[in-house]
């Protein structure tokens, strides 16, 4: 890379300033449900959004942003809908299409593609913090597969949230992966606070320890809400009665005989029995250090919601009776958790839908519609309350069909307007189009596939995929105690137990394609296996909304030191077919930046295609969506 090239690069200003024998397999599922499957008029929704935006611009005497051209639209919609840039052929097909509704057709095509399933799995998995967690949630693969299936089936978001909040039963039973949402959190009260932030966009965690300093929520309010989930817990070992009658004798013998065999025995039984137990009693006790005058430590709290209509509860024990019992008693389970799920995900809950539309708008437009994703209040409606109300009504009218909502926004003139570079002095109104924003780490990594292959989404799963834990759960469903003992004595040993089950699971899945052509989502729940995405800022899923959107030194050094595009990649195949140097340059610009060359960029032609590709992939224009 010569100095003259770098200086020329700076002058032309290309960058813009601103990713067993096995049981019968689970049935394959549809790749996606057409957005037209619901009796809603998306075009009317789109017109209503645009009219509200136009009215606000007129009120403020602010000019409407220009509409973007087809090249900019194509790159933007590929990034926002399916999480990668278009291949050269995909871009050319769209540009040469002369149908007047080609943008709407492309939106519908992308929303019902494997690419959508991959990209939006990444999004929900980050929100729901899918990752392996220590000795409690050994493995979150089943949780990950549940989310992927929900995205493939286009499960309405309110149903998805309700199932997660109310999930119970075996952790590793195929299809029951929603249990991973509860198992993800080792502390029940932390789980409750994160549930409220995830699904209602509200931060109430302070009230777990004391009255909230900035909001109306008190510590009693928190414990009353926690009463819905009391006695819900993850237990990884068999219940005491089952353990004593079935496994205890052999467990003692193996522990005395061989520690490694005992470990395999313990862990294999855990895979079969790990479960979420309890469905909520509707009662909770104040903590031992409660210090406010309205109650005493260990006082019984009856379940109550933070606002709105209290759901019906079918108590089987009176509060007075429970108060007479020892402080470690919380009453019998009455499925109170389902009541909380009903309240939390109801269309009548003002925070659930408001948080959902705020989150989706932020995802695709780059600015908050209402406020911080995890810091909303009951009163807040954002800087354009009428637009907020309209988007809430669209979400409700579509029955929480995320694809319908996205289609309404993607088709709008508002979305298809020139992106705004946010600065310290933004215009009075910024909801009239997208903001220039950095590509997510997964989008950058997946976009490299658009340069490598004509089919970047080929290996996105269209059905359930097994991992070592779901595979062993299924394999051991008819195991007797003797089978578990034999497996532990004659089996793989302590260090190789999980590895062997993982290998068997991979064989059961069949051909998943070469890993170098996998999208980030295909690597699943274990973020450590995709170091490139992590290096570029992918969320480690410890906290909600924790992906790093800012550049740092490791990201910059990685991109500057090579991109791993092989010699047989699609881009090189295309370049070899070009008839002249300018055609090669045009191919590079379209493949990486999704646009045509500018006359001012011709001085760059003296550099090699390899140098140009390196420079373009390190440019802000590539790393931002605009």
């Amino acid at each position: 890379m010569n100095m003259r090239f770098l200086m020329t690069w700076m002058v032309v200003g290309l960058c813009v300033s601103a990713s067993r024998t096995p049981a019968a397999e689970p049935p394959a599922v549809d790749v996606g449900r057409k957005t037209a499957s619901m009796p809603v008029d998306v075009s009317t929704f789109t017109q209503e959004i645009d009219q509200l935006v136009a009215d606000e611009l007129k009120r403020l005497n602010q000019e409407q942003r220009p509409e973007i051209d087809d090249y900019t639209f194509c790159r933007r919609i590929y990034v926002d809908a399916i999480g990668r840039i278009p291949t050269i052929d995909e871009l050319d097909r769209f540009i040469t299409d002369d149908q007047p509704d080609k943008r709407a057709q492309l939106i519908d095509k992308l929303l019902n593609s494997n690419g959508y399933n991959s990209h939006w799995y990444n999004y929900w998995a980050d929100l729901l913090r899918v990752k392996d967690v220590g000795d409690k949630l050994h493995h979150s693969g089943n949780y990950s597969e549940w989310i992927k299936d929900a995205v493939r089936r286009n499960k309405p978001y309110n149903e998805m949230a309700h199932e997660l909040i109310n999930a119970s039963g075996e952790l590793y039973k195929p299809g029951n992966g929603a249990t991973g949402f509860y198992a993800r959190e080792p502390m029940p009260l932390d789980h409750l606070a994160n549930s409220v932030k995830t699904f209602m966009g509200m931060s109430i965690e302070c009230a777990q320890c004391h009255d909230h300093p900035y909001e109306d929520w008190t510590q009693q309010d928190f414990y009353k809400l926690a009463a819905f989930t009391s006695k819900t817990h993850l237990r990884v070992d068999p219940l005491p009665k089952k353990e004593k009658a079935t496994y205890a004798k052999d467990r003692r013998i193996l522990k005395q005989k061989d520690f490694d065999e005992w470990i395999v025995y313990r862990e294999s039984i855990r895979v079969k029995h790990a479960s979420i137990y309890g469905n909520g009693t509707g009662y909770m006790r104040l903590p031992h250090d409660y210090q406010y005058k309205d109650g005493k430590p260990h006082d019984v709290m009856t379940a109550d919601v933070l606002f709105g209509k209290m759901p019906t509860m079918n108590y089987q024990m009176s509060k007075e009776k429970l108060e007479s019992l020892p402080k470690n008693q919380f009453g019998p389970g009455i499925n109170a958790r389902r009541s909380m799920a009903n309240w939390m995900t109801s269309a009548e809950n003002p925070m659930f839908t408001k948080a959902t539309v705020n989150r989706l708008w932020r995802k695709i437009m780059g600015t908050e519609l209402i406020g911080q994703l995890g810091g909303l209040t009951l009163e807040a409606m954002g800087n354009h309350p009428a637009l907020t109300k309209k988007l809430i009504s669209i979400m409700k009218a579509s029955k929480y069909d995320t694809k319908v909502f996205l289609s309404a926004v993607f088709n709008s003139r508002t979305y298809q307007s020139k992106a705004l570079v946010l600065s310290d002095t933004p215009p009075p109104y910024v909801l009239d189009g997208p903001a220039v924003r950095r590509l997510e780490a997964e989008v950058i990594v997946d976009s490299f596939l658009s340069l490598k292959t004509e089919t970047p989404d080929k290996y996105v799963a269209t059905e359930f995929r097994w991992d070592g834990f779901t595979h062993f759960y299924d394999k051991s469903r008819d195991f007797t105690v003797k089978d578990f003992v034999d497996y532990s004595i004659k089996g793989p040993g302590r260090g190789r137990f999980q590895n062997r089950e993982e290998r068997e699971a991979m064989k059961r899945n069949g051909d998943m394609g070469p890993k170098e052509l996998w999208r980030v989502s295909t690597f699943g729940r274990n973020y450590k296996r995709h170091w490139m995405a992590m290096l570029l800022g992918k969320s480690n899923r410890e906290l909600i909304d924790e992906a790093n959107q800012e550049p740092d030194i490791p990201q910059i050094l990685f991109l500057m030191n090579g991109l791993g595009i092989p010699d047989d990649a699609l881009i090189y195949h295309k370049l070899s077919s070009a008839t002249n140097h300018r055609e090669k340059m045009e191919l590079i610009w379209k493949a990486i930046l999704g646009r045509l060359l500018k006359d001012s960029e011709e001085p760059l032609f003296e550099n090699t295609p390899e140098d140009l590709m390196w420079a373009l992939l390190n440019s802000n224009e590539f790393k931002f969506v605009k």
Side-chain angles (χ1 to χ4, degrees), residues 49-338:
I49 292 170
D50 284 338
Q51 187 61 58
L52 285 167
V53 170
D55 290 346
E56 186 67 4
L57 288 170
K58 183 178 180 180
R59 186 184 72 82
L60 295 169
N61 197 26
Q62 184 174 320
E63 290 187 7
Q64 185 176 28
R65 302 190 208 175
E67 186 175 8
I68 55 176
D69 60 31
D70 281 347
Y71 283 98
T72 305
F73 171 79
C74 187
R75 187 178 194 269
R76 182 188 292 178
I77 194 62
Y78 266 84
V79 166
D80 287 340
I82 68 170
R84 63 172 176 82
I85 62 174
T87 66
I88 300 175
D89 292 338
E90 288 169 335
L91 177 64
D92 285 342
R93 278 196 296 270
F94 176 73
I95 296 300
T96 58
D97 187 347
D98 59 1
Q99 297 180 83
D101 63 341
K102 67 178 185 179
R103 292 192 180 189
Q105 288 191 34
L106 180 59
I107 290 168
D108 190 65
K109 176 182 177 182
L110 296 179
L111 289 178
N112 293 285
S113 69
N114 276 352
Y116 172 91
N117 298 337
S118 173
H119 179 51
W120 287 88
Y121 161 77
N122 291 334
Y123 179 68
W124 298 120
D126 278 0
L127 174 63
L128 299 170
R129 299 179 305 138
V130 177
K131 70 171 293 185
D132 294 357
V133 183
D135 194 43
K136 289 295 183 180
L137 176 59
H138 300 279
H139 207 285
S140 57
N142 202 27
Y143 185 23
S144 175
E145 287 300 312
W146 184 91
I147 298 171
K148 289 181 179 181
D149 182 62
V151 176
R152 283 194 297 262
R153 292 176 181 268
N154 194 30
K155 182 175 291 187
Y157 181 62
N158 59 342
E159 293 181 18
M160 183 176 172
H162 192 283
E163 290 180 31
L164 289 165
I165 297 166
N166 193 45
S168 62
E170 297 95 331
L171 203 62
Y172 302 118
K173 180 179 180 180
N176 199 39
T179 50
F181 178 63
Y182 203 97
R184 169 67 178 84
E185 204 71 64
M187 303 297 289
L189 295 181
D190 289 343
H191 172 79
L192 175 67
N194 280 320
S195 297
V196 171
K197 181 172 288 187
T198 297
F199 300 120
M200 299 199 298
M202 301 172 66
S203 177
I204 67 166
E205 57 268 26
C206 290
Q208 179 177 336
C209 300
H210 50 76
D211 290 356
H212 201 295
Y214 307 117
E215 300 292 342
D216 292 334
W217 318 125
T218 66
Q219 192 174 14
Q220 272 206 19
D221 291 331
F222 187 95
Y223 276 81
K224 287 176 181 178
L225 189 64
F228 285 103
T229 66
S230 60
K231 292 185 69 175
T232 301
H233 63 284
L234 167 66
R235 182 182 176 90
V236 296
D237 292 306
L239 291 173
K241 186 175 181 180
K242 181 78 173 178
E243 166 69 18
K244 183 177 181 180
T246 309
Y247 302 110
K249 178 181 177 181
D250 291 295
R251 195 186 296 273
R252 288 193 300 270
I253 293 172
L254 284 170
K255 192 169 187 178
Q256 294 171 1
K257 174 180 177 292
D258 187 290
F259 183 80
D260 286 349
E261 291 176 2
W262 171 77
I263 285 290
V264 175
Y265 185 75
R266 183 190 74 172
E267 295 305 307
S268 59
I269 291 173
R270 282 182 166 184
V271 175
K272 184 180 180 68
H273 289 280
S275 298
I276 299 298
Y277 291 97
N279 55 25
T281 71
Y283 291 123
M284 178 59 79
R285 291 180 182 269
L286 291 175
H288 71 282
D289 56 354
Y290 190 77
Q291 297 179 1
Y292 295 103
K293 294 179 180 179
D294 57 353
K296 302 186 301 295
H298 308 298
D299 274 359
V300 175
M301 295 290 107
T302 305
D304 197 7
V305 296
L306 298 176
F307 48 80
K309 183 180 179 181
M310 174 66 190
T312 301
M313 304 282 280
N314 185 25
Y315 285 103
Q316 298 179 21
M317 177 182 288
S318 69
K319 180 181 177 181
E320 291 72 23
K321 172 65 176 176
L322 182 59
E323 287 174 333
S324 69
L325 299 178
K327 63 186 180 183
N328 63 344
Q329 297 297 307
F330 293 85
I334 59 168
N335 212 357
R337 193 150 50 98
R338 179 183 294 275

